[in-house]
């Protein structure tokens, strides 16, 4: 029975009070796992996991992963890291420390326990890609000294550390490259495009398109992403990844703005603002590997996922 697949397993989720982490904690609890949610609440919040606090299998710990952590668990999902450009560029040195020192500490912990450990990597390791769509064997096109580098290079170094712990210490690792994911519990002010457009539309404020809006992204609904991560964690130790998880449906930011306007019924005007430096022009996952390995593909189309996300933002922030 799926609900009992994780029965008795102790699972740690770093960044568990964040957007993706809170959904992952919820799903792990539903499987019967004991869940330890570790977070320093930089971009996450206790509110995101408030509904889980009564569950006797759930425990939270305020901790910064750049410092060592000694706990006993069977599996680790390492999600701790600010994810939106506004948040990760706020304190770029801390962002790199979180990715790199955080990875070293969590890998050291996993090594001591011989625990399976999954890294939440990102499509940003492909940078502003010159190969489209992006397969896992594309090495990427990243500016090492630009404003996005703290995140991109931090995540790339974390991947290096994961594979070196695997090769050097035989550690069971899973590296998943997550493409733009959205849904309820996104931070309303994190500056990401989906949350920005929805909040602007609901408040009747101008929709801010950076540049001419022809750049593309591929948006995955959070439930699909979490399902992919769980399935990947369940695969045998020979499957290390890296594995792309995302929705291959590709849209321009102009198309996204139009969808949000239609689904909210808003009459907000569209305004254009300066395109941020090194903003990737196109992004779309090649998910052939995930399909074959996990028998997985996204189920929630963008319109439906946006409608659910809009309902959340409307109820939580705009009533
Ligand atoms: P989020 O900002 O909502 O969650 C990140 C969580 O990590 C927050 O709860 C934050 O407080 C916590 N955190 C940050 N620094 C920490 C530290 N030093 N110690 C402990 N906790 C810390 O973002 P998210 O969208 O949920 O992203 C989760 C993970 O997935 C991140 O690693 C991110 O890089 C990765 N990812 C997300 C996306 C996406 O589209 N959402 C895409 C690619 C990769
Ligand atoms: N570490 C931790 N928890 C543990 C074990 C290790 O946080 O249970 C951290 C510790 O800070 C250590 C790092 O992980 O420096 C890397 O551990 P490893 O064993 O790989 O190397 P060490 O630095 O101990 O030689
Ligand atoms: N973007 C936009 N308006 C906004 C916020 C973002 O046009 O208010 C654009 C941004 O320039 C980028 C895309 O939307 O091209 C996705 O941005 P986001 O910050 O969500 O994610 P990332 O760039 O990390 O994929």
């Amino acid at each position: 029975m799926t609900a009992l697949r994780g029965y008795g397993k102790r699972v740690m989720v770093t960044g568990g009070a964040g957007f993706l982490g809170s959904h992952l904690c919820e799903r792990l609890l539903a499987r019967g796992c004991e869940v330890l949610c570790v977070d320093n609440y930089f971009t996450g919040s206790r509110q995101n996991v408030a509904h889980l606090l009564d569950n006797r299998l759930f425990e939270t710990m305020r901790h910064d992963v750049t410092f060592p952590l000694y706990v006993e668990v069977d599996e680790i999902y390492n999600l701790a890291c600010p994810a939106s450009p506004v948040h990760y560029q706020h304190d770029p040195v801390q962002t790199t420390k979180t990715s790199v020192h955080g990875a070293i500490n969590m890998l050291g912990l996993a090594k001591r326990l011989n625990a399976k450990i999954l890294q939440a990597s990102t499509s940003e390791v492909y940078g502003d890609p010159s190969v489209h769509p992006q397969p896992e064997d594309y090495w990427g096109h990243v500016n090492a000294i630009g404003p996005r580098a703290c995140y991109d290079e931090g995540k790339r170094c974390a991947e290096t550390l994961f594979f070196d712990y695997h090769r050097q210490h035989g550690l069971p690792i899973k590296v998943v490259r997550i493409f733009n994911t959205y849904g309820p519990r996104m931070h309303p002010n994190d500056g990401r495009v989906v949350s920005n457009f929805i909040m602007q539309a609901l408040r009747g404020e101008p929709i801010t398109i950076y540049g001419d809006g022809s750049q593309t992204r591929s948006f995955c609904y959070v439930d699909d992403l979490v399902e992919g991560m769980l399935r990947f964690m369940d695969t045998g130790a020979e499957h290390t990844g890296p594995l792309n998880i995302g929705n291959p449906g590709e849209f321009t930011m102009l198309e996204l703005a139009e969808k949000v306007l239609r689904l909210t019924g808003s009459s907000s005007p569209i305004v254009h603002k300066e395109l941020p430096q090194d903003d990737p022009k196109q992004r779309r996952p090649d998910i052939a590997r995930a399909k074959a390995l996990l028998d997985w593909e996204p189920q929630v189309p963008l319109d439906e996922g946006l409608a659910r996300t809009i309902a959340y933002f409307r109820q939580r922030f705009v009533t």
Side-chain angles (χ1 to χ4, degrees):
M1 227 170 103
T2 317
L4 295 178
R5 206 184 303 158
Y7 185 74
K9 206 183 270 179
R10 297 163 303 174
V11 184
M12 178 168 89
V13 180
T14 76
F19 160 50
L20 297 181
S22 62
H23 287 272
L24 178 61
C25 288
E26 211 170 87
R27 286 289 304 277
L28 288 165
L29 288 168
R31 283 180 159 204
C33 298
E34 281 182 37
V35 176
L36 175 60
C37 164
V38 171
D39 207 295
N40 70 349
Y41 303 112
F42 172 47
T43 55
S45 71
R46 272 161 297 182
Q47 181 65 36
N48 282 342
V49 290
H51 60 298
L52 306 177
L53 292 175
D54 285 342
N55 190 323
R56 64 182 177 79
L57 296 175
F58 186 65
E59 190 182 350
T60 56
M61 179 190 270
R62 180 189 285 270
H63 177 79
D64 183 327
V65 295
T66 61
F67 296 100
L69 176 64
Y70 289 82
V71 291
E72 311 304 313
V73 292
D74 303 310
E75 273 180 5
I76 301 167
Y77 289 82
N78 187 37
L79 272 61
C81 186
S84 85
V86 170
H87 283 154
Y88 69 65
Q89 289 172 24
H90 171 73
D91 185 347
V93 173
Q94 178 63 18
T95 299
T96 303
K97 283 185 187 169
T98 293
S99 275
V100 177
H101 293 185
I104 292 173
N105 287 326
M106 295 309 105
L107 286 162
L109 171 62
K111 184 182 119 199
R112 177 174 62 79
L113 302 169
N114 197 29
K116 217 192 264 188
I117 179 166
L118 178 145
Q119 167 68 356
S121 191
T122 167
S123 53
E124 283 282 323
V125 300
Y126 302 123
D128 187 4
S130 46
V131 170
H132 191 74
Q134 294 79 53
E136 288 88 346
D137 55 12
Y138 172 51
W139 288 357
H141 179 225
V142 173
N143 175 2
I145 57 169
R148 297 174 84 98
C150 59
Y151 185 73
D152 301 9
E153 298 290 13
K155 289 284 189 179
R156 286 169 69 95
C157 184
E159 286 200 9
T160 307
L161 285 161
F162 268 70
F163 277 86
D164 282 335
Y165 269 77
H166 174 66
R167 282 185 289 254
Q168 205 172 323
H169 301 299
L171 194 66
I173 61 157
K174 306 278 175 195
V175 173
V176 48
R177 291 182 179 155
I178 301 169
F179 283 65
N180 296 61
T181 301
Y182 69 98
R185 297 195 211 121
M186 288 185 91
H187 195 295
N189 301 321
D190 71 3
R192 283 190 265 199
V193 69
V194 173
S195 41
N196 264 14
F197 284 4
I198 292 177
M199 290 301 289
Q200 290 162 345
L202 291 178
R203 290 180 167 151
E205 294 165 0
I207 305 278
T208 54
I209 290 189
Y210 301 160
D212 64 7
S214 63
Q215 71 272 37
T216 66
R217 293 293 185 275
S218 302
F219 298 100
C220 185
Y221 189 66
V222 58
D223 290 358
D224 285 331
L225 186 277
V226 170
E227 179 65 30
M229 281 207 291
L230 290 167
R231 286 193 195 193
F232 187 29
M233 191 60 133
D234 286 344
T235 58
E238 68 277 23
H239 299 293
T240 57
L243 191 72
N244 288 341
I245 301 275
N247 190 323
E250 184 182 358
F251 299 88
T252 66
M253 295 312 99
L254 261 175
E255 286 170 331
L256 180 71
E258 281 156 10
K259 276 184 186 296
V260 170
L261 284 172
R262 179 170 48 76
L263 290 164
T264 52
S266 167
S267 50
S268 287
I270 287 180
V271 297
H272 290 267
K273 293 201 163 181
E274 200 182 335
L275 189 67
Q277 187 189 329
D278 297 338
D279 199 275
K281 282 179 274 308
Q282 53 183 359
R283 182 181 291 153
R284 174 184 181 181
D286 177 334
I287 58 165
R289 268 198 208 176
K291 270 186 179 169
L293 177 64
L294 310 177
D295 188 25
W296 167 92
E297 63 183 311
Q299 302 295 316
V300 183
L302 184 55
D303 280 45
E304 188 181 326
L306 282 176
R308 291 187 206 171
T309 311
I310 289 165
Y312 165 80
F313 276 94
R314 202 190 287 277
Q315 185 244 331
R316 182 108 163 64
F317 301 108
V318 190
T319 42

